[in-house]
PDB file of all heavy atoms in Angstrom:
ATOM      1  N   ALA A 193      13.381  69.612  98.587  1.00 97.00           N
ATOM      2  CA  ALA A 193      12.787  69.103  99.831  1.00 97.00           C
ATOM      3  C   ALA A 193      13.817  68.923 100.945  1.00 97.00           C
ATOM      4  O   ALA A 193      13.578  69.316 102.095  1.00 97.00           O
ATOM      5  CB  ALA A 193      12.063  67.784  99.561  1.00 97.00           C
ATOM      6  N   LEU A 194      14.973  68.357 100.595  1.00 97.00           N
ATOM      7  CA  LEU A 194      15.978  68.063 101.618  1.00 97.00           C
ATOM      8  C   LEU A 194      16.563  69.324 102.253  1.00 97.00           C
ATOM      9  O   LEU A 194      17.245  69.248 103.270  1.00 97.00           O
ATOM     10  CB  LEU A 194      17.121  67.239 101.024  1.00 97.00           C
ATOM     11  CG  LEU A 194      16.935  65.730 100.961  1.00 97.00           C
ATOM     12  CD1 LEU A 194      18.220  65.057 100.541  1.00 97.00           C
ATOM     13  CD2 LEU A 194      16.482  65.191 102.308  1.00 97.00           C
ATOM     14  N   PHE A 195      16.337  70.458 101.641  1.00 98.00           N
ATOM     15  CA  PHE A 195      16.965  71.677 102.146  1.00 98.00           C
ATOM     16  C   PHE A 195      16.000  72.572 102.907  1.00 98.00           C
ATOM     17  O   PHE A 195      16.356  73.675 103.311  1.00 98.00           O
ATOM     18  CB  PHE A 195      17.652  72.427 100.995  1.00 98.00           C
ATOM     19  CG  PHE A 195      18.707  71.594 100.337  1.00 98.00           C
ATOM     20  CD1 PHE A 195      18.432  70.862  99.185  1.00 98.00           C
ATOM     21  CD2 PHE A 195      19.976  71.493 100.888  1.00 98.00           C
ATOM     22  CE1 PHE A 195      19.404  70.065  98.592  1.00 98.00           C
ATOM     23  CE2 PHE A 195      20.953  70.701 100.300  1.00 98.00           C
ATOM     24  CZ  PHE A 195      20.670  69.984  99.151  1.00 98.00           C
ATOM     25  N   GLU A 196      14.806  72.074 103.081  1.00 98.00           N
ATOM     26  CA  GLU A 196      13.890  72.826 103.938  1.00 98.00           C
ATOM     27  C   GLU A 196      14.193  72.517 105.395  1.00 98.00           C
ATOM     28  O   GLU A 196      14.826  71.513 105.702  1.00 98.00           O
ATOM     29  CB  GLU A 196      12.440  72.464 103.583  1.00 98.00           C
ATOM     30  CG  GLU A 196      11.979  73.237 102.354  1.00 98.00           C
ATOM     31  CD  GLU A 196      10.878  72.507 101.591  1.00 98.00           C
ATOM     32  OE1 GLU A 196      10.167  71.714 102.229  1.00 98.00           O
ATOM     33  OE2 GLU A 196      10.769  72.717 100.358  1.00 98.00           O
ATOM     34  N   GLU A 197      13.738  73.390 106.247  1.00 97.00           N
ATOM     35  CA  GLU A 197      14.188  73.339 107.637  1.00 97.00           C
ATOM     36  C   GLU A 197      13.979  71.972 108.296  1.00 97.00           C
ATOM     37  O   GLU A 197      14.896  71.424 108.905  1.00 97.00           O
ATOM     38  CB  GLU A 197      13.475  74.434 108.438  1.00 97.00           C
ATOM     39  CG  GLU A 197      14.093  74.722 109.779  1.00 97.00           C
ATOM     40  CD  GLU A 197      15.599  74.983 109.709  1.00 97.00           C
ATOM     41  OE1 GLU A 197      16.062  75.572 108.713  1.00 97.00           O
ATOM     42  OE2 GLU A 197      16.320  74.564 110.648  1.00 97.00           O
ATOM     43  N   ALA A 198      12.794  71.421 108.179  1.00 97.00           N
ATOM     44  CA  ALA A 198      12.506  70.154 108.850  1.00 97.00           C
ATOM     45  C   ALA A 198      13.447  69.053 108.377  1.00 97.00           C
ATOM     46  O   ALA A 198      13.997  68.298 109.188  1.00 97.00           O
ATOM     47  CB  ALA A 198      11.054  69.760 108.591  1.00 97.00           C
ATOM     48  N   ALA A 199      13.644  68.971 107.076  1.00 98.00           N
ATOM     49  CA  ALA A 199      14.515  67.930 106.526  1.00 98.00           C
ATOM     50  C   ALA A 199      15.962  68.146 106.970  1.00 98.00           C
ATOM     51  O   ALA A 199      16.684  67.183 107.269  1.00 98.00           O
ATOM     52  CB  ALA A 199      14.425  67.926 105.006  1.00 98.00           C
ATOM     53  N   GLN A 200      16.388  69.386 107.019  1.00 98.00           N
ATOM     54  CA  GLN A 200      17.750  69.670 107.456  1.00 98.00           C
ATOM     55  C   GLN A 200      17.959  69.225 108.894  1.00 98.00           C
ATOM     56  O   GLN A 200      19.009  68.690 109.247  1.00 98.00           O
ATOM     57  CB  GLN A 200      18.032  71.178 107.317  1.00 98.00           C
ATOM     58  CG  GLN A 200      18.216  71.631 105.878  1.00 98.00           C
ATOM     59  CD  GLN A 200      19.620  71.373 105.376  1.00 98.00           C
ATOM     60  OE1 GLN A 200      20.586  71.882 105.885  1.00 98.00           O
ATOM     61  NE2 GLN A 200      19.729  70.529 104.355  1.00 98.00           N
ATOM     62  N   GLU A 201      16.950  69.428 109.707  1.00 98.00           N
ATOM     63  CA  GLU A 201      17.078  68.998 111.105  1.00 98.00           C
ATOM     64  C   GLU A 201      17.165  67.484 111.192  1.00 98.00           C
ATOM     65  O   GLU A 201      17.895  66.948 112.029  1.00 98.00           O
ATOM     66  CB  GLU A 201      15.903  69.529 111.937  1.00 98.00           C
ATOM     67  CG  GLU A 201      16.145  70.956 112.404  1.00 98.00           C
ATOM     68  CD  GLU A 201      14.893  71.598 112.988  1.00 98.00           C
ATOM     69  OE1 GLU A 201      14.013  70.848 113.463  1.00 98.00           O
ATOM     70  OE2 GLU A 201      14.784  72.840 112.932  1.00 98.00           O
ATOM     71  N   ARG A 202      16.425  66.799 110.332  1.00 97.00           N
ATOM     72  CA  ARG A 202      16.491  65.345 110.347  1.00 97.00           C
ATOM     73  C   ARG A 202      17.869  64.876 109.871  1.00 97.00           C
ATOM     74  O   ARG A 202      18.458  63.959 110.443  1.00 97.00           O
ATOM     75  CB  ARG A 202      15.377  64.740 109.504  1.00 97.00           C
ATOM     76  CG  ARG A 202      14.919  63.385 110.023  1.00 97.00           C
ATOM     77  CD  ARG A 202      13.627  62.903 109.401  1.00 97.00           C
ATOM     78  NE  ARG A 202      13.694  62.839 107.954  1.00 97.00           N
ATOM     79  CZ  ARG A 202      12.917  63.547 107.145  1.00 97.00           C
ATOM     80  NH1 ARG A 202      12.016  64.371 107.637  1.00 97.00           N
ATOM     81  NH2 ARG A 202      13.034  63.408 105.842  1.00 97.00           N
ATOM     82  N   LEU A 203      18.373  65.507 108.832  1.00 98.00           N
ATOM     83  CA  LEU A 203      19.698  65.126 108.343  1.00 98.00           C
ATOM     84  C   LEU A 203      20.754  65.352 109.414  1.00 98.00           C
ATOM     85  O   LEU A 203      21.662  64.534 109.597  1.00 98.00           O
ATOM     86  CB  LEU A 203      20.053  65.944 107.093  1.00 98.00           C
ATOM     87  CG  LEU A 203      19.273  65.588 105.822  1.00 98.00           C
ATOM     88  CD1 LEU A 203      19.627  66.548 104.689  1.00 98.00           C
ATOM     89  CD2 LEU A 203      19.536  64.153 105.400  1.00 98.00           C
ATOM     90  N   ARG A 204      20.616  66.449 110.111  1.00 98.00           N
ATOM     91  CA  ARG A 204      21.569  66.735 111.178  1.00 98.00           C
ATOM     92  C   ARG A 204      21.488  65.676 112.276  1.00 98.00           C
ATOM     93  O   ARG A 204      22.508  65.171 112.758  1.00 98.00           O
ATOM     94  CB  ARG A 204      21.315  68.120 111.762  1.00 98.00           C
ATOM     95  CG  ARG A 204      22.346  68.543 112.780  1.00 98.00           C
ATOM     96  CD  ARG A 204      22.029  69.887 113.368  1.00 98.00           C
ATOM     97  NE  ARG A 204      20.723  69.881 114.027  1.00 98.00           N
ATOM     98  CZ  ARG A 204      20.112  70.968 114.451  1.00 98.00           C
ATOM     99  NH1 ARG A 204      20.650  72.158 114.269  1.00 98.00           N
ATOM    100  NH2 ARG A 204      18.933  70.882 115.034  1.00 98.00           N
TER     101      ARG A 204
END
Side-chain angles (χ1 to χ4, degrees):
Chain A
L194 275 188
F195 300 96
E196 279 154 26
E197 195 51 35
Q200 287 278 299
E201 276 169 25
R202 211 167 56 241
L203 289 175
R204 186 182 59 190

